[in-house]
């Protein structure tokens, strides 16, 4: 993500004065607080957030995706990571100290607080936007130094944010069985079966994508993520949905949820205002039997988690909805395949158009991204982008989270590498694809690096591995070729992808960083995206979305069964960028088979849609290599 | 490990009666205890233990390396893992219930205790033989169910074990600089520098190999492990060594430790009886300043850990000695190389001898192991074996922890695969090598599996990877070829190896199971030992000890530097077992280069030692493959 605003810092003196006044105002708590923590994020611990939840940006000016601000009587400091050092330093004024995470000399938030606070201080935080596990760590550290962490129910930023946007309440979209493959009623039955198996009486869902998936509903409350603000509490006989009740007026929606006319009483949905989740959960907990247990994700908000008495609370790293959602059913897989075919059509058109237009010198990172969006929007059931397009030329490609802005916008030329990482939401599925191209003659080094990245991509995509293998065990396969030449990339290799849902989803992925990931299973969908970034020069990334499928190797040790990946993304990989001498015969065969499939599947669709130039481009780009 | 005793179970009725009497006897504690836990292990959490510490074996009869017994008023149960189900069921009488760990229906020790204990029970354990982290988990579970875990200072097994062996107190051996490369005084200075850096006032060493390494001393208290029973506490100005004082009479030893005549006062060693570590640590802790911190490994005994007040205790997963010991210095590396050359000489002789003797039909698993030991013992500075030799024919090879016993002993033939995993302690180094051979004509399947294992072995051995990479990220390289054919092995790929010390040592290794391993560094020494086991038929394992060395690939991303492995083990890998068509050219080159090095280095030594037949065998076995 980049930054949209002008590069001049936000003036925050008056805002900080007001916030500090609120910190001393006993309207909010019994005693003044000496520090206030403003994390990124919303009450659902979403990765992308709505404008009304951009409180950290509001108070300090920095609008990157990751960062925590802390304000004390004397100081204001903001912690962010290496991706954002430059951006944060430009967006924040002198009232703020930038805390560069990952540098040795940078104190942790806990250590810094302990070093600046007077004895016996109170540190406040909104318990809705801090996760239960983060609260626990921060609280422990503060207590051990004689301070305390206190939950401030009224958000103090909201108290000083006079023109804070409304919480979005977009129209809800119902998804029929033709898209979901499973009714929400059946999903509830499956969930309850898992609850019964583990002797759980209640389940509290707080993640927005899990709630959207459960009810086969989609919203547009958060850009790029088709979700809506809601909570759900499921018991063995009741289903409570907490959502802005105005959204439920639509008769089709009421019908979908069988509001007022449930098929069975235990499948009757009781609806409540979004804000009442706290008091309802309190009421439920007050009536718990001595053996009743409540499931809640350990990443849920501290506020909701602490409503559940500890003796009844069963925190879990991944909820049953998260696990069920990750394993796509046949209908969802079919939808994802269709979405990827449409997406490939748009990209083939884009690349054919770029090839023609770049020599004229009029295409920029932004106009190329806009063109990609325009072409995608022509495809059936297009809803929007699945994340901001990364469209980057030359050195901009080496900035992993780059997003083109007027100030940084470069023109695409015949002399530089072009990297485009983009994706869309279609009603039938979500896409995420990266291609790296050269429209002139790439250098030997660019080709060499591209080829190592390709070798890594193939090593993962073609890997056969036992059922039950966790994704992190595959991460090194993506790096071996780069490592052999002393190269590497400093990000993970893959993430889970939702089906017309969030482009990043748990609980599986392919990364050296995660050991808490769940084993890969047939039906899961992840990305395979190794890269190489030469600072100040170029960036290479090669990303397909791949489906986990059963493999049938020669043997079947201990009847465990094997898995492999089937690429859903079917967009040619530029042969011009390959040094084919560095490829093994097996790798060449993989490229040729992949291109054969691109030609067959996408070619047919291009033909059907009558997109002749793109079809010609596809045929040209999928010639077998020898 | 196998079992040595006859297969009839130990009769334990009377012993259990006596133990239960002790559990009710208030001589040991203020109130009777309702259950008593008997873990494997000694007060130093050693992997191999001395006979006097085999308490779990004494009480139940089961003598495998892993298992925990728990005795209540009514029940006696013993938990062990899949390797030992058969053995344990044969060694234990009807008084005992075998708890098969890893099976779904088997309760954990905590759950079982909670299900059988009367309300408000006291569960006893010897705090010296339970690690601090295990105590914590068990105590938490029991408290949450209304019971409590109590530390019983007098071991109740010892109370009923009338003919318990004495704790060994073997002669100590001093190692000069020509073996260690660093005086113990310099090791102390290095340790104190790390303590200063982390603001630590005291360090408590409890691991026997760390203490042996620190003082450049070796003992023979535990079979296969050249260690001695001791504790050490190092402060900024004092060094306290706790050891049976009778061992310190030898003038050479006193000279080595500079007892009574230290070069500097802060390098003066104060000696104390082994048993007084508890009271001495108490005295030290009583005099701690408010900011004094004490380092102790989180795997140290609960007894010693809890002496240190929580506010002063800094538990660490790996001690600074463990980390220093793992990175071998130039002298140690040279010693390890020499030890591996001698070891290879012995093995070449063994294989030449087997080739000649097997057709006569007189060689068994046991006699082959004995011959290997005899040949090793002829080499300079041989001390003993580094672990019990695994010498296994045909189906016995599929039992990963097999050890030949008279009841299981098979004859080596021309028709079955032979696997020998063996190693020795020499004064200059420790070895551990596995070779799998066929003395007739291997089947196509045996060759196929062997070749996949070889491919995995080479993939790890030849891997180039960035500095700072943890060993677990390399584990999948060893499996990729097996996985591709639907095969696998259910153990890790490698472990750290000591230098004339324990054959298994932390903190690094190559395993999918460990995520707490420390990054690999140049100078570390690990094993590379993938395998394949076809139950009831054959076992294959291919193990070299390898040294981590800097690599110099073409590029150097972010100046991180790269590493690779250099094999220390130089014993031919049987070409007859390879299906060379399954090898890539790179893999064939690796095999030829490895065999060239075997011939060059071991050939020269065989020549020097005048071992003609072995030399001829070596020349024959190291012909290049094409």
């Amino acid at each position: 993500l980049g930054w949209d605003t002008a590069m001049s810092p936000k003036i925050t003196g008056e805002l900080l004065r007001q916030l500090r006044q609120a910190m001393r105002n006993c309207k909010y708590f019994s005693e003044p607080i000496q520090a206030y923590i403003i994390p990124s994020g919303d009450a659902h611990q979403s990765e992308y957030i709505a404008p009304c939840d951009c409180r950290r940006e509001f108070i300090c000016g920095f609008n990157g995706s990751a960062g925590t601000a802390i304000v004390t009587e004397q100081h204001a400091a903001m912690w962010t990571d290496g991706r954002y050092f430059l951006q944060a330093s430009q967006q924040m004024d002198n009232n703020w100290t930038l805390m560069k995470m990952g540098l040795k000399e940078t104190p942790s938030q806990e250590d810094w607080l302990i070093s600046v606070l007077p004895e016996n201080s109170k540190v406040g935080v909104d318990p809705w936007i801090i996760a239960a596990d983060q609260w626990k760590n921060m609280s422990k550290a503060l207590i051990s130094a004689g301070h305390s962490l206190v939950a401030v129910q009224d958000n103090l930023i909201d108290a000083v944010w006079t023109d804070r946007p409304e919480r979005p309440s977009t129209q809800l979209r119902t998804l029929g069985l033709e898209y979901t493959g499973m009714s929400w009623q059946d999903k509830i039955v499956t969930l309850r079966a898992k609850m019964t198996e583990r002797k759980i009486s209640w389940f509290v869902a707080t993640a927005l994508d899990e709630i959207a998936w459960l009810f086969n509903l989609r919203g547009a409350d958060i850009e790029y993520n088709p979700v809506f603000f809601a909570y759900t509490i499921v018991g063995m006989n009741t289903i409570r949905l907490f959502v802005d009740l105005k959204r439920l007026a639509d008769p089709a929606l009421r019908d979908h949820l069988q509001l007022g006319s449930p098929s069975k009483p235990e499948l009757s949905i009781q609806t409540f205002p979004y804000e009442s989740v706290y008091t309802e959960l309190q009421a439920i907990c007050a009536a718990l039997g001595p053996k009743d247990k409540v499931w809640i994700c350990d990443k849920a908000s501290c506020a909701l988690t602490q409503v559940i008495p500890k003796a009844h609370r069963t925190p879990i790293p991944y909820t049953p909805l998260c696990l069920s959602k990750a394993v796509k059913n046949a209908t969802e897989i079919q939808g994802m395949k269709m979405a990827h075919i449409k997406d490939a059509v748009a990209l083939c058109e884009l690349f054919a158009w770029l090839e023609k237009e770049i020599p004229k010198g009029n295409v920029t990172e932004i106009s190329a991204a806009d063109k990609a969006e325009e072409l995608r929007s022509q495809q059936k059931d297009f809803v929007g982008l699945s994340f901001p397009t990364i469209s980057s030329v030359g050195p901009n490609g080496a900035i992993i989270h780059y997003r083109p802005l007027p100030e940084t916008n470069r023109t695409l030329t015949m002399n530089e590498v072009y990297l485009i990482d983009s994706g869309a939401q279609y009603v039938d599925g979500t896409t995420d694809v990266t291609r790296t191209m050269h429209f002139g003659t790439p250098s030997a080094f660019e080709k060499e690096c591209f080829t190592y990245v390709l070798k890594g991509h193939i090593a993962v995509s073609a890997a056969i591995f036992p059922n039950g293998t966790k994704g992190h065990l595959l991460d090194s396969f993506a790096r071996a070729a780069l490592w052999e030449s002393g190269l590497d990339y400093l990000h993970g290799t893959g993430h889970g992808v939702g089906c017309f849902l969030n482009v990043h989803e748990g609980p599986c992925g392919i990364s050296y960083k995660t050991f808490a990931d769940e084993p890969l299973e047939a039906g899961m969908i992840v990305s395979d995206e190794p890269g190489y970034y030469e600072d100040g020069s170029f960036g290479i990334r090669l990303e397909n979305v791949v489906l986990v499928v059963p493999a049938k190797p020669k043997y079947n040790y201990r009847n465990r069964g094997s898995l492999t990946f089937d690429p859903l993304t079917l967009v040619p990989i530029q042969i011009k960028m390959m040094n084919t001498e560095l490829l093994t015969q097996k790798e060449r065969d993989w490229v040729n088979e992949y291109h054969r499939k691109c030609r067959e599947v996408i070619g047919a669709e291009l033909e059907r849609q009558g997109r002749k130039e793109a079809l010609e481009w596809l045929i040209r780009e999928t010639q077998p290599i020898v």
Side-chain angles (χ1 to χ4, degrees), chain A:
Chain A
L1 298 176
W3 57 105
D4 297 315
T5 53
M7 294 248 192
S8 57
K10 174 160 182 169
I11 307 303
T12 60
E14 172 58 19
L15 279 179
L16 285 171
R17 197 193 57 74
Q18 290 174 16
L19 175 61
R20 287 176 175 134
Q21 197 166 22
M23 287 162 58
R24 288 185 299 265
N25 187 338
C26 291
K27 176 177 144 199
Y28 301 110
F29 19 75
S30 51
E31 283 177 86
I33 56 172
Q34 282 70 47
Y36 188 63
I37 305 177
I38 307 112
S40 303
D42 62 17
H44 307 272
Q45 282 62 50
S46 306
E47 183 187 5
Y48 293 72
I49 56 177
C52 62
D53 289 318
C54 295
R55 299 180 177 99
R56 186 253 299 141
E57 174 185 352
F58 172 78
I59 195 66
C60 74
F62 166 62
N63 73 349
S65 67
T68 298
I70 303 185
V71 176
T72 68
E73 276 300 328
Q74 307 290 332
H75 304 90
M78 205 283 299
W79 281 255
T80 191
D81 62 67
R83 292 174 292 170
Y84 292 121
F85 292 166
L86 179 67
Q87 175 179 341
S89 69
Q90 292 177 337
Q91 292 183 322
M92 299 195 306
D93 70 7
N94 284 338
N95 291 304
W96 289 88
T97 306
L98 173 57
M99 293 295 191
K100 300 181 173 183
M101 286 164 67
L103 301 194
K104 257 198 173 165
E105 62 270 26
T106 305
S108 69
Q109 292 162 26
E110 291 86 341
D111 288 348
W112 181 81
L113 276 168
I114 291 165
S115 73
V116 302
L117 287 176
E119 266 179 41
N120 199 18
S121 285
K122 290 192 190 315
V123 178
V125 67
D126 181 341
W128 289 91
I129 56 176
I130 187 167
D133 52 356
Q134 291 171 310
W135 168 283
K136 208 172 153 185
N137 293 337
M138 175 62 80
S139 178
K140 212 171 154 184
L142 290 176
I143 286 169
S144 80
H147 308 297
S148 61
L149 185 63
V150 297
V152 182
Q153 292 297 335
D154 294 283
N155 190 292
L156 300 191
I157 300 297
D158 298 359
V160 302
W161 191 353
T162 47
D163 57 347
R164 180 166 166 254
E166 289 271 300
R167 182 160 303 283
S169 181
T170 55
Q171 206 193 328
L172 297 183
R173 176 198 297 263
T174 62
L175 291 182
L177 276 180
E178 69 279 21
Y179 290 111
T180 63
M182 194 175 190
S183 68
W184 64 260
Q185 289 91 340
D186 285 344
K187 290 179 180 177
I188 291 279
V189 170
T190 306
L191 168 63
R192 284 181 177 150
K194 289 189 187 183
M195 289 165 64
T196 304
E197 192 190 317
R198 300 303 190 90
K199 299 188 180 127
I200 299 292
S201 312
W202 295 90
F203 167 62
V204 182
T206 67
L208 300 184
D209 61 339
E210 293 181 16
I211 297 166
W213 177 85
L214 176 62
F215 291 110
N216 293 334
L217 292 176
R218 298 295 186 269
D221 291 1
I222 294 180
E223 208 180 353
Y224 310 114
N225 294 178
V227 295
F228 55 96
F229 286 102
Y231 293 99
T232 294
I233 303 177
V234 178
M236 294 316 288
N237 297 300
T238 70
I239 306 166
R240 298 178 207 202
L241 174 61
F242 302 84
V243 67
D244 177 4
L245 295 178
K246 291 195 300 292
R247 309 176 92 154
L248 302 179
D250 174 28
L253 180 59
R254 299 189 67 80
D255 190 47
H256 174 87
L257 293 177
Q258 298 197 295
L259 295 181
S261 59
S263 54
K264 297 176 185 170
E266 71 272 22
L267 291 173
S268 158
I269 299 177
Q270 294 172 269
T271 59
F272 297 84
Y274 174 69
E275 293 76 13
S276 66
V277 63
Y278 190 85
T279 49
E280 274 301 313
L281 184 56
Q282 272 183 323
I284 288 170
C285 289
L288 289 176
K291 292 203 155 183
D292 282 337
K293 295 278 179 190
V294 182
W295 256 345
I296 190 163
C297 183
D298 60 10
K299 283 155 222 80
S301 71
C302 172
L304 270 192
T305 303
Q306 293 194 348
V307 169
I308 309 164
K310 226 175 161 179
H312 297 286
R313 200 191 301 158
T314 305
I316 37 178
Y318 300 109
T319 75
L321 298 187
C322 176
L323 290 162
S324 297
K325 175 167 62 62
V327 182
K328 274 70 179 174
N329 63 39
T331 307
E332 290 170 320
I333 290 170
Q334 187 53 30
M336 285 293 272
K337 285 187 175 172
M338 295 309 300
H340 279 82
I341 291 172
K342 294 183 283 187
D343 210 57
V345 164
L347 277 188
C348 288
E349 277 217 288
L350 174 74
F351 293 134
W353 179 82
L354 286 175
E355 215 173 75
K356 212 174 58 189
E357 295 298 320
I358 287 172
K360 303 178 190 164
N362 297 322
V363 187
T364 67
E365 293 170 342
I366 292 177
S367 72
D370 290 346
K371 184 73 179 177
E373 182 167 1
E374 180 203 322
L375 292 167
R376 282 188 163 110
S377 72
Q378 296 167 7
Q379 294 298 317
K380 183 162 168 269
D381 284 342
F382 172 84
V383 176
L385 298 187
S386 57
F387 60 96
T389 298
I390 298 173
S391 169
S392 57
V393 170
N396 286 344
I399 304 165
I400 297 175
H401 287 82
Y402 180 75
R403 175 182 176 179
L405 297 166
E407 312 86 87
T408 63
N409 196 17
R410 289 172 70 94
T411 300
L412 276 70
T413 71
M414 316 268 291
N415 305 316
E416 287 182 304
V417 171
Y418 177 60
L419 182 158
I420 179 165
D421 183 351
S422 61
Q425 300 286 0
Y426 303 90
V427 181
D428 42 6
T430 303
T431 67
D432 181 1
V433 46
T434 310
R435 287 295 179 269
T436 304
M437 327 267 291
H438 202 294
F439 295 91
T441 307
S443 74
F445 183 54
E446 287 162 349
K447 287 171 69 173
E448 183 184 357
C449 296
F450 183 93
T451 308
Y452 296 148
V453 171
L454 172 63
K455 287 164 90 79
H457 179 92
I458 296 172
V460 170
S461 196
I464 295 176
F465 49 91
N467 245 321
T469 302
K470 293 182 169 195
H472 71 259
L473 290 170
L474 308 179
D475 184 76
S476 297
F477 290 156
R479 299 174 201 275
L482 286 160
W483 282 357
E484 205 181 328
S485 292
L487 305 178
D488 198 7
Y489 54 95
L490 302 183
H491 59 73
T493 300
H495 54 79
V497 179
C499 180
F500 185 28
L501 264 177
N502 294 357
V503 73
H504 294 165
E505 69 169 31
C508 58
I510 303 174
S511 174
Y512 60 97
K513 283 179 281 191
T514 338
F515 306 124
D517 53 339
E518 289 289 309
L520 293 169
E521 264 182 65
M524 285 181 167
I525 292 178
V526 296
S527 71
D528 170 14
E529 47 179 318
Y532 177 71
Y533 309 92
E534 181 77 13
D535 282 343
S537 186
F538 62 86
I540 288 164
R541 189 163 56 252
L542 199 42
E543 176 187 25
N544 281 353
V545 169
V546 295
L547 170 69
V548 182
V549 293
K552 292 262 169 269
K554 202 165 166 186
Y555 305 111
N556 187 8
Y557 181 64
R558 303 219 166 181
N559 282 312
R560 281 195 299 176
S562 291
L563 299 171
T564 188
F565 297 111
D566 185 23
L568 298 182
T569 306
L570 292 173
V571 177
I573 299 165
Q574 198 179 38
I575 293 168
K576 189 201 282 184
M577 282 293 289
M578 302 176 196
N579 178 344
T580 54
E581 283 173 28
L582 295 176
L583 296 176
T584 65
Q585 189 53 46
K586 253 179 155 166
E587 288 162 345
R588 280 189 285 262
D589 292 346
W590 186 93
V591 169
N592 288 337
E593 171 55 22
Y594 179 71
H595 279 160
R596 192 201 56 73
K597 200 172 164 192
C598 290
R599 194 191 278 205
E600 178 183 304
V601 177
I602 309 306
E605 181 65 14
L606 284 168
E607 190 128 22
R608 208 187 58 76
Q609 296 192 18
R611 299 182 187 260
K612 251 182 88 175
E613 281 186 26
L615 178 59
E616 276 163 26
W617 178 87
L618 173 70
I619 304 274
R620 259 197 336 270
E621 290 290 311
T622 53
Q623 303 290 338
I625 54 176
V626 280

